[in-house]
Amino acid sequence: MNKSLLSAFAAGLIFGLGLLVSGMANPEKVLAFLDLFGNWDPSLALVMVGAIGVGLPFFYFAKGRDVTVLGKQIQMPSRRDIDRPLVVGSLLFGIGWGLAGFCPGPAVVATGAGEIKAIVFTAAMLAGMGLFALFNRPSTAGATS
Amino acid sequence: MTIDWTAFTPWSALAGGAMIGLASALLLVLNGRIAGISGILGGLISRTPGETGWRAAFAIGLLIGPTLWALFQALPPIRIEAGYPVLIAAGLLVGIGTRYGSGCTSGHGVCGLSRLSPRSLAATLIFMAGGFATVFVVRHLLGV
């Protein structure tokens, strides 16, 4: 099997298991974090601390390099501007996140767990991405992630 | 604001977070790509030549995580309060918003902040604020 496919698969698997371990595949727990003015569960903040704490040295290491150990080109987003699509898109995403308690990663993991409501959410999310692709075909260059 | 100490799970949050960071690091140092879930799923839909294989492999890994977990122990609870109309509206907002804003909690939040990107910091602050405000309106103003 192709090494780069295997590494991408392993990364996806560890990512998904991390979401399960952290409790973030559970929208109830995510919403308890977003309920800043209610009975607040700060757990999500520590998930970010753990993830960034581990990620930081690797991203620093990758910054000065062009290719990976598997010989793949390192594609690091280069844009630094804060433009209208970034602001409006992030705001729309935040509203949707606050309504259901799902962001893309946990939605896929909960779909994998066979939750019917997660499957419905994920289908709507993919439809939204499809709509975006349909209307934004020429100017997607430079998108970061 | 009161902290819900009974719900707070600092150690599993840190451990799970570290696994997410490790997964993002692996994809970066082996594949040279950013582990942004919305970018990976959106990229599968718009089908960039040469980029479909690794994206599909990553998405399949993410999807089968719960099945692998369930072989060893019971899955943790996944409680989804929202009804179907709200889930559909929220899904559309998350799908369109993450693509228009070029990222989500993973791409901007984890990877973007790990590489100290001001653009990702702005995005993260905005979607967090949007999430806080939405839950405030839904739970404390509308009282749903």
Short mmCIF file of all heavy atoms in Angstrom, two decimals, chain B residues 19-89:
data_model
loop_
_atom_site.label_atom_id
_atom_site.label_comp_id
_atom_site.label_asym_id
_atom_site.label_seq_id
_atom_site.Cartn_x
_atom_site.Cartn_y
_atom_site.Cartn_z
N MET B 19 -3.73 13.91 21.22
CA MET B 19 -3.87 12.97 20.09
C MET B 19 -4.23 13.73 18.81
O MET B 19 -3.73 13.42 17.72
CB MET B 19 -4.96 11.94 20.39
CG MET B 19 -4.56 10.94 21.48
SD MET B 19 -5.95 9.89 21.96
CE MET B 19 -6.11 8.85 20.49
N ILE B 20 -5.10 14.74 18.94
CA ILE B 20 -5.48 15.56 17.77
C ILE B 20 -4.25 16.32 17.26
O ILE B 20 -4.01 16.39 16.05
CB ILE B 20 -6.63 16.52 18.16
CG1 ILE B 20 -7.90 15.72 18.44
CG2 ILE B 20 -6.86 17.56 17.07
CD1 ILE B 20 -9.01 16.51 19.11
N GLY B 21 -3.45 16.84 18.20
CA GLY B 21 -2.22 17.55 17.81
C GLY B 21 -1.25 16.61 17.12
O GLY B 21 -0.62 16.96 16.12
N LEU B 22 -1.13 15.38 17.65
CA LEU B 22 -0.23 14.38 17.07
C LEU B 22 -0.68 14.00 15.66
O LEU B 22 0.14 13.90 14.72
CB LEU B 22 -0.21 13.12 17.96
CG LEU B 22 0.63 11.95 17.44
CD1 LEU B 22 2.12 12.27 17.52
CD2 LEU B 22 0.33 10.68 18.23
N ALA B 23 -2.00 13.82 15.48
CA ALA B 23 -2.54 13.48 14.16
C ALA B 23 -2.24 14.60 13.16
O ALA B 23 -1.83 14.34 12.02
CB ALA B 23 -4.05 13.24 14.25
N SER B 24 -2.42 15.85 13.59
CA SER B 24 -2.14 17.00 12.71
C SER B 24 -0.65 17.06 12.38
O SER B 24 -0.27 17.37 11.24
CB SER B 24 -2.56 18.30 13.39
OG SER B 24 -3.90 18.21 13.82
N ALA B 25 0.19 16.75 13.38
CA ALA B 25 1.64 16.75 13.17
C ALA B 25 2.05 15.66 12.18
O ALA B 25 2.87 15.89 11.29
CB ALA B 25 2.35 16.56 14.50
N LEU B 26 1.45 14.47 12.31
CA LEU B 26 1.75 13.36 11.39
C LEU B 26 1.42 13.73 9.96
O LEU B 26 2.21 13.51 9.04
CB LEU B 26 0.94 12.12 11.78
CG LEU B 26 1.48 11.24 12.90
CD1 LEU B 26 0.49 10.10 13.17
CD2 LEU B 26 2.84 10.66 12.49
N LEU B 27 0.22 14.29 9.77
CA LEU B 27 -0.19 14.65 8.41
C LEU B 27 0.75 15.72 7.83
O LEU B 27 1.04 15.71 6.64
CB LEU B 27 -1.64 15.15 8.40
CG LEU B 27 -2.26 15.21 7.00
CD1 LEU B 27 -2.53 13.81 6.45
CD2 LEU B 27 -3.56 16.00 7.00
N LEU B 28 1.23 16.61 8.70
CA LEU B 28 2.13 17.66 8.25
C LEU B 28 3.52 17.11 7.89
O LEU B 28 4.02 17.37 6.80
CB LEU B 28 2.27 18.74 9.34
CG LEU B 28 3.20 19.88 8.97
CD1 LEU B 28 2.58 20.77 7.89
CD2 LEU B 28 3.56 20.71 10.20
N VAL B 29 4.13 16.34 8.80
CA VAL B 29 5.52 15.93 8.56
C VAL B 29 5.62 14.73 7.61
O VAL B 29 6.70 14.46 7.08
CB VAL B 29 6.30 15.64 9.87
CG1 VAL B 29 6.33 16.86 10.76
CG2 VAL B 29 5.73 14.44 10.60
N LEU B 30 4.53 14.00 7.38
CA LEU B 30 4.58 12.87 6.44
C LEU B 30 3.96 13.23 5.09
O LEU B 30 4.53 12.96 4.05
CB LEU B 30 3.89 11.64 7.03
CG LEU B 30 4.57 11.05 8.28
CD1 LEU B 30 3.76 9.88 8.83
CD2 LEU B 30 5.99 10.60 7.98
N ASN B 31 2.78 13.87 5.12
CA ASN B 31 2.09 14.19 3.87
C ASN B 31 2.30 15.64 3.42
O ASN B 31 1.97 15.98 2.29
CB ASN B 31 0.59 13.91 4.00
CG ASN B 31 0.29 12.43 4.12
OD1 ASN B 31 0.54 11.84 5.15
ND2 ASN B 31 -0.23 11.83 3.06
N GLY B 32 2.76 16.48 4.35
CA GLY B 32 2.97 17.88 4.00
C GLY B 32 1.67 18.65 3.85
O GLY B 32 1.61 19.67 3.15
N ARG B 33 0.60 18.16 4.50
CA ARG B 33 -0.70 18.81 4.35
C ARG B 33 -1.27 19.22 5.70
O ARG B 33 -0.91 18.66 6.74
CB ARG B 33 -1.70 17.85 3.67
CG ARG B 33 -1.32 17.47 2.24
CD ARG B 33 -1.35 18.67 1.31
NE ARG B 33 -1.08 18.32 -0.08
CZ ARG B 33 0.13 18.21 -0.61
NH1 ARG B 33 1.21 18.42 0.14
NH2 ARG B 33 0.28 17.90 -1.88
N ILE B 34 -2.18 20.20 5.66
CA ILE B 34 -2.83 20.71 6.86
C ILE B 34 -4.06 19.85 7.18
O ILE B 34 -4.88 19.59 6.30
CB ILE B 34 -3.28 22.18 6.62
CG1 ILE B 34 -2.08 23.09 6.35
CG2 ILE B 34 -4.12 22.70 7.78
CD1 ILE B 34 -1.20 23.38 7.52
N ALA B 35 -4.16 19.43 8.46
CA ALA B 35 -5.30 18.61 8.87
C ALA B 35 -6.51 19.49 9.18
O ALA B 35 -6.90 19.66 10.32
CB ALA B 35 -4.93 17.74 10.08
N GLY B 36 -7.05 20.08 8.13
CA GLY B 36 -8.27 20.87 8.27
C GLY B 36 -9.43 20.04 7.76
O GLY B 36 -9.48 19.72 6.57
N ILE B 37 -10.34 19.65 8.63
CA ILE B 37 -11.40 18.72 8.21
C ILE B 37 -12.30 19.33 7.14
O ILE B 37 -12.65 18.66 6.17
CB ILE B 37 -12.25 18.26 9.41
CG1 ILE B 37 -11.37 17.83 10.59
CG2 ILE B 37 -13.19 17.12 9.00
CD1 ILE B 37 -10.46 16.67 10.36
N SER B 38 -12.65 20.61 7.30
CA SER B 38 -13.53 21.21 6.29
C SER B 38 -12.82 21.31 4.94
O SER B 38 -13.44 21.11 3.89
CB SER B 38 -14.02 22.59 6.75
OG SER B 38 -12.93 23.47 6.95
N GLY B 39 -11.52 21.58 4.96
CA GLY B 39 -10.76 21.65 3.71
C GLY B 39 -10.65 20.28 3.06
O GLY B 39 -10.72 20.15 1.83
N ILE B 40 -10.48 19.24 3.90
CA ILE B 40 -10.37 17.87 3.38
C ILE B 40 -11.70 17.43 2.76
O ILE B 40 -11.73 16.92 1.63
CB ILE B 40 -9.91 16.92 4.51
CG1 ILE B 40 -8.44 17.19 4.85
CG2 ILE B 40 -10.13 15.46 4.12
CD1 ILE B 40 -7.92 16.49 6.08
N LEU B 41 -12.81 17.67 3.47
CA LEU B 41 -14.12 17.26 2.94
C LEU B 41 -14.50 18.11 1.72
O LEU B 41 -14.96 17.59 0.71
CB LEU B 41 -15.20 17.40 4.03
CG LEU B 41 -15.03 16.50 5.26
CD1 LEU B 41 -16.12 16.80 6.28
CD2 LEU B 41 -15.05 15.03 4.87
N GLY B 42 -14.27 19.42 1.83
CA GLY B 42 -14.59 20.31 0.69
C GLY B 42 -13.74 19.97 -0.52
O GLY B 42 -14.21 20.03 -1.65
N GLY B 43 -12.48 19.60 -0.26
CA GLY B 43 -11.58 19.23 -1.36
C GLY B 43 -12.01 17.94 -2.04
O GLY B 43 -11.82 17.76 -3.24
N LEU B 44 -12.62 17.04 -1.26
CA LEU B 44 -13.14 15.80 -1.85
C LEU B 44 -14.31 16.11 -2.77
O LEU B 44 -14.52 15.44 -3.78
CB LEU B 44 -13.59 14.83 -0.74
CG LEU B 44 -12.47 14.05 -0.05
CD1 LEU B 44 -13.03 13.25 1.13
CD2 LEU B 44 -11.77 13.11 -1.03
N ILE B 45 -15.08 17.14 -2.40
CA ILE B 45 -16.25 17.51 -3.21
C ILE B 45 -15.80 18.21 -4.50
O ILE B 45 -16.28 17.90 -5.58
CB ILE B 45 -17.21 18.40 -2.39
CG1 ILE B 45 -17.87 17.55 -1.30
CG2 ILE B 45 -18.26 19.05 -3.29
CD1 ILE B 45 -18.64 18.34 -0.28
N SER B 46 -14.85 19.15 -4.38
CA SER B 46 -14.44 19.89 -5.58
C SER B 46 -13.36 19.15 -6.38
O SER B 46 -13.01 19.56 -7.48
CB SER B 46 -13.97 21.30 -5.21
OG SER B 46 -12.98 21.26 -4.23
N ARG B 47 -12.82 18.04 -5.82
CA ARG B 47 -11.89 17.13 -6.50
C ARG B 47 -10.69 17.80 -7.20
O ARG B 47 -10.60 17.85 -8.42
CB ARG B 47 -12.65 16.29 -7.53
CG ARG B 47 -13.43 15.20 -6.83
CD ARG B 47 -13.90 14.14 -7.80
NE ARG B 47 -15.25 13.75 -7.43
CZ ARG B 47 -16.28 13.69 -8.26
NH1 ARG B 47 -16.12 13.96 -9.53
NH2 ARG B 47 -17.46 13.34 -7.84
N THR B 48 -9.76 18.29 -6.37
CA THR B 48 -8.51 18.82 -6.91
C THR B 48 -7.67 17.65 -7.39
O THR B 48 -7.45 16.70 -6.63
CB THR B 48 -7.74 19.57 -5.80
OG1 THR B 48 -8.68 20.26 -4.99
CG2 THR B 48 -6.73 20.53 -6.37
N PRO B 49 -7.16 17.69 -8.63
CA PRO B 49 -6.37 16.56 -9.14
C PRO B 49 -5.15 16.28 -8.26
O PRO B 49 -4.44 17.20 -7.85
CB PRO B 49 -5.93 17.03 -10.53
CG PRO B 49 -6.91 18.10 -10.90
CD PRO B 49 -7.33 18.75 -9.63
N GLY B 50 -4.91 15.00 -7.95
CA GLY B 50 -3.75 14.61 -7.16
C GLY B 50 -3.93 14.74 -5.67
O GLY B 50 -3.06 14.34 -4.89
N GLU B 51 -5.03 15.34 -5.23
CA GLU B 51 -5.24 15.57 -3.80
C GLU B 51 -6.36 14.71 -3.22
O GLU B 51 -6.70 14.84 -2.05
CB GLU B 51 -5.56 17.06 -3.54
CG GLU B 51 -4.49 18.03 -4.01
CD GLU B 51 -3.21 17.94 -3.17
OE1 GLU B 51 -3.31 17.79 -1.94
OE2 GLU B 51 -2.12 18.02 -3.75
N THR B 52 -6.97 13.89 -4.07
CA THR B 52 -8.13 13.13 -3.61
C THR B 52 -7.76 11.92 -2.76
O THR B 52 -8.43 11.64 -1.77
CB THR B 52 -8.98 12.70 -4.83
OG1 THR B 52 -9.38 13.88 -5.51
CG2 THR B 52 -10.23 11.94 -4.41
N GLY B 53 -6.66 11.25 -3.10
CA GLY B 53 -6.28 10.02 -2.41
C GLY B 53 -6.06 10.22 -0.92
O GLY B 53 -6.69 9.56 -0.09
N TRP B 54 -5.17 11.13 -0.54
CA TRP B 54 -4.85 11.33 0.88
C TRP B 54 -6.06 11.86 1.63
O TRP B 54 -6.29 11.49 2.78
CB TRP B 54 -3.64 12.25 1.05
CG TRP B 54 -3.89 13.71 0.79
CD1 TRP B 54 -3.73 14.37 -0.40
CD2 TRP B 54 -4.34 14.70 1.74
NE1 TRP B 54 -4.06 15.69 -0.25
CE2 TRP B 54 -4.44 15.93 1.05
CE3 TRP B 54 -4.68 14.65 3.09
CZ2 TRP B 54 -4.86 17.10 1.67
CZ3 TRP B 54 -5.10 15.82 3.70
CH2 TRP B 54 -5.19 17.04 3.00
N ARG B 55 -6.86 12.71 0.95
CA ARG B 55 -8.05 13.25 1.62
C ARG B 55 -9.05 12.14 1.93
O ARG B 55 -9.62 12.08 3.02
CB ARG B 55 -8.72 14.32 0.74
CG ARG B 55 -7.98 15.64 0.77
CD ARG B 55 -8.67 16.69 -0.08
NE ARG B 55 -8.04 17.98 0.13
CZ ARG B 55 -7.78 18.86 -0.83
NH1 ARG B 55 -8.10 18.60 -2.08
NH2 ARG B 55 -7.21 20.01 -0.55
N ALA B 56 -9.26 11.25 0.96
CA ALA B 56 -10.19 10.13 1.16
C ALA B 56 -9.66 9.22 2.26
O ALA B 56 -10.42 8.78 3.15
CB ALA B 56 -10.38 9.36 -0.14
N ALA B 57 -8.34 8.95 2.26
CA ALA B 57 -7.74 8.07 3.28
C ALA B 57 -7.93 8.67 4.68
O ALA B 57 -8.29 7.98 5.63
CB ALA B 57 -6.25 7.86 2.99
N PHE B 58 -7.71 9.99 4.81
CA PHE B 58 -7.88 10.66 6.10
C PHE B 58 -9.34 10.58 6.55
O PHE B 58 -9.63 10.24 7.70
CB PHE B 58 -7.43 12.13 5.99
CG PHE B 58 -7.44 12.86 7.31
CD1 PHE B 58 -6.27 13.00 8.04
CD2 PHE B 58 -8.61 13.42 7.82
CE1 PHE B 58 -6.27 13.68 9.26
CE2 PHE B 58 -8.62 14.09 9.04
CZ PHE B 58 -7.44 14.22 9.76
N ALA B 59 -10.26 10.88 5.63
CA ALA B 59 -11.69 10.88 5.97
C ALA B 59 -12.16 9.49 6.39
O ALA B 59 -12.95 9.35 7.33
CB ALA B 59 -12.52 11.40 4.78
N ILE B 60 -11.64 8.46 5.72
CA ILE B 60 -12.02 7.08 6.08
C ILE B 60 -11.50 6.75 7.48
O ILE B 60 -12.21 6.16 8.30
CB ILE B 60 -11.51 6.07 5.02
CG1 ILE B 60 -12.27 6.27 3.70
CG2 ILE B 60 -11.66 4.64 5.51
CD1 ILE B 60 -11.65 5.58 2.50
N GLY B 61 -10.26 7.17 7.79
CA GLY B 61 -9.70 6.97 9.12
C GLY B 61 -10.58 7.60 10.19
O GLY B 61 -10.88 7.00 11.22
N LEU B 62 -10.99 8.85 9.93
CA LEU B 62 -11.85 9.58 10.87
C LEU B 62 -13.18 8.86 11.07
O LEU B 62 -13.68 8.73 12.19
CB LEU B 62 -12.09 10.98 10.26
CG LEU B 62 -12.55 12.13 11.14
CD1 LEU B 62 -11.58 12.38 12.27
CD2 LEU B 62 -12.71 13.39 10.29
N LEU B 63 -13.70 8.36 9.97
CA LEU B 63 -15.03 7.73 9.98
C LEU B 63 -15.03 6.37 10.69
O LEU B 63 -16.01 6.01 11.36
CB LEU B 63 -15.49 7.56 8.53
CG LEU B 63 -16.97 7.34 8.24
CD1 LEU B 63 -17.80 8.53 8.71
CD2 LEU B 63 -17.17 7.15 6.73
N ILE B 64 -13.94 5.60 10.56
CA ILE B 64 -13.96 4.26 11.16
C ILE B 64 -13.42 4.24 12.60
O ILE B 64 -13.45 3.21 13.25
CB ILE B 64 -13.25 3.18 10.31
CG1 ILE B 64 -11.75 3.37 10.33
CG2 ILE B 64 -13.79 3.10 8.90
CD1 ILE B 64 -11.04 2.05 10.07
N GLY B 65 -12.95 5.41 13.09
CA GLY B 65 -12.48 5.49 14.48
C GLY B 65 -13.46 4.89 15.48
O GLY B 65 -13.08 4.03 16.29
N PRO B 66 -14.75 5.28 15.45
CA PRO B 66 -15.71 4.76 16.41
C PRO B 66 -15.88 3.23 16.32
O PRO B 66 -16.05 2.56 17.34
CB PRO B 66 -17.01 5.47 16.03
CG PRO B 66 -16.58 6.71 15.35
CD PRO B 66 -15.32 6.35 14.62
N THR B 67 -15.82 2.67 15.12
CA THR B 67 -15.97 1.22 14.95
C THR B 67 -14.81 0.49 15.62
O THR B 67 -15.00 -0.49 16.33
CB THR B 67 -16.01 0.86 13.44
OG1 THR B 67 -17.03 1.63 12.83
CG2 THR B 67 -16.29 -0.62 13.24
N LEU B 68 -13.59 1.02 15.41
CA LEU B 68 -12.40 0.43 16.02
C LEU B 68 -12.50 0.53 17.55
O LEU B 68 -12.21 -0.43 18.27
CB LEU B 68 -11.17 1.17 15.51
CG LEU B 68 -9.85 0.48 15.79
CD1 LEU B 68 -9.67 -0.74 14.89
CD2 LEU B 68 -8.68 1.44 15.59
N TRP B 69 -12.90 1.71 18.03
CA TRP B 69 -13.07 1.95 19.47
C TRP B 69 -14.04 0.93 20.07
O TRP B 69 -13.77 0.34 21.12
CB TRP B 69 -13.59 3.37 19.65
CG TRP B 69 -13.89 3.78 21.06
CD1 TRP B 69 -14.86 3.27 21.88
CD2 TRP B 69 -13.21 4.77 21.84
NE1 TRP B 69 -14.84 3.89 23.10
CE2 TRP B 69 -13.83 4.81 23.10
CE3 TRP B 69 -12.13 5.64 21.58
CZ2 TRP B 69 -13.43 5.68 24.11
CZ3 TRP B 69 -11.73 6.50 22.58
CH2 TRP B 69 -12.36 6.52 23.82
N ALA B 70 -15.17 0.72 19.37
CA ALA B 70 -16.24 -0.13 19.89
C ALA B 70 -15.82 -1.61 19.99
O ALA B 70 -16.45 -2.40 20.67
CB ALA B 70 -17.49 0.01 19.02
N LEU B 71 -14.72 -1.98 19.29
CA LEU B 71 -14.21 -3.35 19.41
C LEU B 71 -13.63 -3.59 20.79
O LEU B 71 -13.59 -4.72 21.27
CB LEU B 71 -13.10 -3.59 18.37
CG LEU B 71 -13.51 -3.66 16.90
CD1 LEU B 71 -12.27 -3.87 16.03
CD2 LEU B 71 -14.51 -4.78 16.67
N PHE B 72 -13.15 -2.51 21.44
CA PHE B 72 -12.47 -2.67 22.73
C PHE B 72 -13.30 -2.23 23.93
O PHE B 72 -13.21 -2.81 24.99
CB PHE B 72 -11.14 -1.91 22.70
CG PHE B 72 -10.21 -2.42 21.65
CD1 PHE B 72 -10.13 -1.81 20.40
CD2 PHE B 72 -9.45 -3.56 21.88
CE1 PHE B 72 -9.28 -2.30 19.42
CE2 PHE B 72 -8.60 -4.06 20.90
CZ PHE B 72 -8.51 -3.44 19.67
N GLN B 73 -14.07 -1.17 23.75
CA GLN B 73 -14.93 -0.72 24.85
C GLN B 73 -16.12 0.05 24.32
O GLN B 73 -16.18 0.40 23.14
CB GLN B 73 -14.13 0.12 25.83
CG GLN B 73 -13.41 1.29 25.20
CD GLN B 73 -12.63 2.09 26.22
OE1 GLN B 73 -13.07 2.31 27.34
NE2 GLN B 73 -11.45 2.56 25.82
N ALA B 74 -17.09 0.31 25.24
CA ALA B 74 -18.30 1.02 24.83
C ALA B 74 -17.96 2.44 24.39
O ALA B 74 -17.07 3.07 24.97
CB ALA B 74 -19.30 1.04 25.98
N LEU B 75 -18.64 2.93 23.36
CA LEU B 75 -18.40 4.29 22.88
C LEU B 75 -18.83 5.30 23.95
O LEU B 75 -19.79 5.06 24.69
CB LEU B 75 -19.22 4.54 21.61
CG LEU B 75 -18.63 4.03 20.29
CD1 LEU B 75 -19.65 4.16 19.18
CD2 LEU B 75 -17.35 4.79 19.94
N PRO B 76 -18.13 6.44 24.06
CA PRO B 76 -18.58 7.48 24.98
C PRO B 76 -19.92 8.05 24.51
O PRO B 76 -20.28 7.88 23.34
CB PRO B 76 -17.46 8.53 24.90
CG PRO B 76 -16.79 8.28 23.60
CD PRO B 76 -16.93 6.82 23.31
N PRO B 77 -20.67 8.69 25.41
CA PRO B 77 -21.99 9.20 25.01
C PRO B 77 -21.90 10.27 23.91
O PRO B 77 -20.96 11.07 23.89
CB PRO B 77 -22.54 9.82 26.30
CG PRO B 77 -21.34 10.07 27.16
CD PRO B 77 -20.36 9.02 26.81
N ILE B 78 -22.83 10.21 22.96
CA ILE B 78 -22.97 11.26 21.94
C ILE B 78 -24.42 11.73 22.03
O ILE B 78 -25.32 11.02 21.59
CB ILE B 78 -22.63 10.73 20.53
CG1 ILE B 78 -21.17 10.25 20.47
CG2 ILE B 78 -22.89 11.79 19.47
CD1 ILE B 78 -20.75 9.63 19.14
N ARG B 79 -24.63 12.87 22.70
CA ARG B 79 -26.00 13.36 22.88
C ARG B 79 -26.26 14.57 22.00
O ARG B 79 -25.56 15.59 22.10
CB ARG B 79 -26.25 13.69 24.35
CG ARG B 79 -26.68 12.45 25.14
CD ARG B 79 -27.14 12.81 26.52
NE ARG B 79 -26.02 12.87 27.46
CZ ARG B 79 -25.56 11.80 28.13
NH1 ARG B 79 -26.12 10.61 27.96
NH2 ARG B 79 -24.55 11.92 28.96
N ILE B 80 -27.26 14.43 21.11
CA ILE B 80 -27.59 15.48 20.15
C ILE B 80 -28.98 16.00 20.47
O ILE B 80 -29.98 15.32 20.20
CB ILE B 80 -27.49 14.93 18.71
CG1 ILE B 80 -26.13 14.25 18.49
CG2 ILE B 80 -27.73 16.03 17.68
CD1 ILE B 80 -26.05 13.33 17.29
N GLU B 81 -29.04 17.18 21.08
CA GLU B 81 -30.31 17.75 21.53
C GLU B 81 -31.14 18.32 20.38
O GLU B 81 -32.36 18.20 20.37
CB GLU B 81 -30.04 18.88 22.53
CG GLU B 81 -29.49 18.42 23.87
CD GLU B 81 -30.60 18.16 24.88
OE1 GLU B 81 -31.45 19.06 25.03
OE2 GLU B 81 -30.60 17.08 25.49
N ALA B 82 -30.46 18.94 19.41
CA ALA B 82 -31.15 19.69 18.36
C ALA B 82 -32.09 18.80 17.55
O ALA B 82 -31.81 17.61 17.32
CB ALA B 82 -30.12 20.32 17.43
N GLY B 83 -33.23 19.37 17.13
CA GLY B 83 -34.16 18.66 16.26
C GLY B 83 -33.69 18.69 14.82
O GLY B 83 -32.73 19.40 14.49
N TYR B 84 -34.39 17.96 13.95
CA TYR B 84 -33.94 17.84 12.56
C TYR B 84 -33.88 19.15 11.78
O TYR B 84 -32.90 19.40 11.08
CB TYR B 84 -34.76 16.77 11.83
CG TYR B 84 -34.37 15.38 12.29
CD1 TYR B 84 -35.17 14.67 13.19
CD2 TYR B 84 -33.19 14.78 11.86
CE1 TYR B 84 -34.79 13.41 13.64
CE2 TYR B 84 -32.80 13.53 12.30
CZ TYR B 84 -33.62 12.84 13.19
OH TYR B 84 -33.23 11.60 13.64
N PRO B 85 -34.91 20.04 11.89
CA PRO B 85 -34.81 21.30 11.12
C PRO B 85 -33.59 22.12 11.54
O PRO B 85 -32.89 22.68 10.69
CB PRO B 85 -36.11 22.03 11.47
CG PRO B 85 -37.05 20.97 11.94
CD PRO B 85 -36.19 19.94 12.60
N VAL B 86 -33.31 22.16 12.86
CA VAL B 86 -32.14 22.91 13.35
C VAL B 86 -30.85 22.26 12.87
O VAL B 86 -29.91 22.95 12.45
CB VAL B 86 -32.17 23.00 14.90
CG1 VAL B 86 -30.88 23.61 15.43
CG2 VAL B 86 -33.37 23.82 15.36
N LEU B 87 -30.80 20.92 12.89
CA LEU B 87 -29.60 20.22 12.44
C LEU B 87 -29.30 20.50 10.97
O LEU B 87 -28.15 20.69 10.58
CB LEU B 87 -29.77 18.70 12.64
CG LEU B 87 -29.63 18.20 14.08
CD1 LEU B 87 -30.08 16.75 14.17
CD2 LEU B 87 -28.20 18.35 14.58
N ILE B 88 -30.36 20.55 10.16
CA ILE B 88 -30.17 20.81 8.73
C ILE B 88 -29.69 22.24 8.50
O ILE B 88 -28.73 22.48 7.76
CB ILE B 88 -31.47 20.51 7.94
CG1 ILE B 88 -31.71 18.99 7.95
CG2 ILE B 88 -31.39 21.03 6.51
CD1 ILE B 88 -33.08 18.55 7.46
N ALA B 89 -30.34 23.21 9.20
CA ALA B 89 -29.91 24.61 9.06
C ALA B 89 -28.47 24.77 9.55
O ALA B 89 -27.63 25.41 8.89
CB ALA B 89 -30.85 25.51 9.86
#
